Amino acid sequence: MLTEPAEGIPSVVETPEALAAVVAAFGAGTGPVAVDAERASGYRYGQRTYLVQLRREGAGTALIDPIAVPDLSSLSEALVGVEWVLHAASQDLPGLAEQGLLPSRVFDTELGARLLGMERVGLAAVVADALGLGLAKEHSAVDWSTRPLPTEWLRYAALDVEVLVELREILAERLAVAGKAEWAAQEFEAVRTAPLPAPRVEPWRRVSGLHAIRDARRLGVVRELWLTRDQNARQRDISPGRVLPDHAIIAAAQALPRTVSELTALPAFAGKGTRRRAPLWQQAIDRALAEPDSELPSVRGPKSDAPPPPRAWAEKDPAAAARLAAARDAVAALSAQWSVPAENLLQPDLLRRLCWTPPAVLDLDSIGAFLSAGGARPWQIELVGPRLAEAFAAL
């Protein structure tokens, strides 16, 4: 079990002078740089980074407070051309970019583990498999916006980058032996250059339990409560779920209370904080109840170019359903052959789109062009394209 960083727990970088020293040290270091970031998901609004950890040969480990020193672009500039080693890079890169940290190259140890077919790809599991070391994860979900950060949390944070570079070396060797090094390189570059996701259309529809709401008026209540909660959570910098749980929103939409007393009589609104803001929630409900029918949200959901749910394909388009079944079988066979999860061989949404609205001619070239336009990497097209062409030709 890893219990202590090799050089001890470094002091947290909180001043421009301390940051300048780190920049100089890491710029003079050698080899890849291990990078990690901690957020306060479930505690604060959004996905802001509250601690950045780095480690590089010749520089040691650095723990940086991006709240105290938010502009870390000088560190990024000192590491131009250096490979950054991260675990689940897609989770950390957007927040790091807000601090001015932009890597030139990336090695993602989680993605590498997926391509190698490891059953468990969390950092602790991959470290145990590749290095035979134990990595404690008991502080992974704490409130990293806490100041000052407890020593135990800082120890945990430092250990998260302690062996990342060593882990990278072993995974890179395994990928090369498996003939997957080029696959990994393309996947890492795709993660590094991925654009920020577009804002969701009607994000309130992601409220847990929404399937229980089946009429437009009640959907309007859900929408208004979600919007009010989001505004309040943003203003207070608190996770929306802590302001008002999803199950409370659903309970109010089902009950349609007309007064604050009716609202607070619901068990979901019995909590002290929820009751204190009950007038705010009732005002949101009242607004939804007063909306004209023409302003209420659609029961069917927003218009989208996405295919319908696959369960409806057999009735709507039997030929598309047959294509999807054949395509899924082909991808599943490749998944088993190469020990790579099916979703890493080809994005499931892209596969569904190909089967629902295929090119006029389903040959290898047109399939490859369709997949490429949808963001598939060359290695995926080369591997999956021929199998899909064969599967479609056999129908």
Side-chain angles (χ1 to χ4, degrees):
M1 179 67 72
L2 284 170
T3 58
E4 198 71 29
E7 298 95 18
I9 306 171
S11 299
V12 177
V13 174
E14 299 174 315
T15 66
E17 294 76 17
L19 176 61
V22 166
V23 169
F26 275 76
T30 58
V33 57
V35 182
D36 192 21
E38 306 294 349
R39 295 173 295 279
S41 303
Y43 296 93
R44 296 290 184 175
Y45 188 90
Q47 295 297 312
R48 187 176 186 179
T49 299
Y50 285 93
L51 187 70
V52 176
Q53 307 102 279
L54 306 100
R55 182 174 178 81
R56 191 181 190 196
E57 184 69 28
T61 297
L63 304 179
I64 303 175
D65 180 354
I67 307 304
V69 281
D71 183 2
L72 303 181
S73 56
S74 58
L75 180 56
S76 189
E77 292 164 4
L79 295 171
V80 168
V82 175
E83 181 184 81
W84 295 22
V85 183
L86 302 98
H87 192 82
S90 62
Q91 296 180 19
D92 291 339
L93 289 178
L96 292 171
E98 292 179 2
Q99 263 47 71
L101 289 170
L102 303 168
S104 302
R105 292 184 293 135
V106 160
F107 189 105
D108 186 332
T109 51
E110 187 206 39
L111 256 179
R114 288 182 179 278
L115 293 176
L116 287 168
M118 292 187 181
E119 291 186 8
R120 299 166 61 211
V121 296
L123 180 59
V126 178
V127 167
D129 180 287
L131 301 175
L133 296 171
L135 194 62
K137 301 301 292 182
E138 69 269 21
H139 299 307
S140 60
V142 298
D143 181 3
W144 287 95
S145 68
T146 301
R147 293 296 184 272
L149 287 164
T151 301
E152 281 302 310
W153 298 9
L154 295 175
R155 177 179 290 108
Y156 160 90
L159 288 173
D160 259 6
V161 291
E162 182 80 8
V163 293
L164 263 184
V165 172
E166 185 179 354
L167 179 63
R168 174 246 184 269
E169 298 302 327
I170 292 176
L171 295 184
E173 183 178 349
R174 291 185 182 181
L175 287 164
V177 170
K180 299 175 180 178
E182 179 56 28
W183 300 5
Q186 292 180 25
E187 289 301 294
F188 300 160
E189 183 63 7
V191 168
R192 187 186 74 85
T193 58
L196 292 176
R200 290 187 178 276
V201 177
E202 298 188 347
W204 59 269
R205 289 187 185 269
R206 290 179 61 80
V207 168
S208 178
L210 188 69
H211 63 276
I213 307 300
R214 301 182 181 277
D215 67 88
R217 183 63 59 186
R218 286 178 167 82
L219 281 177
V221 171
V222 172
R223 178 177 66 183
E224 198 61 38
L225 280 172
W226 187 94
L227 291 170
T228 302
R229 177 185 73 173
D230 190 70
Q231 181 182 31
N232 188 267
R234 186 189 297 269
Q235 290 172 345
R236 298 166 60 200
D237 192 18
I238 298 176
S239 171
R242 287 179 173 259
V243 172
L244 185 68
D246 280 5
H247 70 86
I249 291 178
I250 297 300
Q254 289 173 323
L256 297 183
R258 262 55 177 189
T259 65
V260 170
S261 59
E262 287 182 13
L263 178 66
T264 55
L266 299 175
F269 285 81
K272 184 178 179 181
T274 307
R275 291 176 65 89
R276 186 167 63 249
R277 293 181 178 80
L280 177 68
W281 310 131
Q282 186 60 50
Q283 289 167 14
I285 296 168
D286 292 343
R287 287 194 297 274
L289 293 175
E291 274 191 303
D293 291 349
S294 60
E295 299 293 324
L296 293 175
S298 166
V299 175
R300 295 185 177 182
K303 291 183 179 180
S304 169
D305 65 348
R311 62 179 178 273
W313 287 26
E315 181 179 346
K316 290 178 177 290
D317 189 339
R323 285 193 294 270
L324 182 62
R328 283 176 166 173
D329 287 345
V331 173
L334 283 171
S335 172
Q337 177 183 345
W338 288 96
S339 298
V340 176
E343 62 270 22
N344 290 105
L345 287 176
L346 194 64
Q347 187 183 27
D349 177 68
L350 181 56
L351 184 66
R352 289 191 293 268
R353 289 175 184 270
L354 172 66
C355 295
W356 183 253
T357 54
V361 179
L362 269 174
D363 60 13
L364 183 58
D365 288 342
S366 62
I367 290 171
F370 189 100
L371 297 180
S372 178
R377 268 68 75 190
W379 77 269
Q380 294 175 316
I381 297 169
E382 182 179 346
L383 187 68
V384 178
R387 290 292 186 94
L388 292 179
E390 292 172 8
F392 294 147
L395 291 176

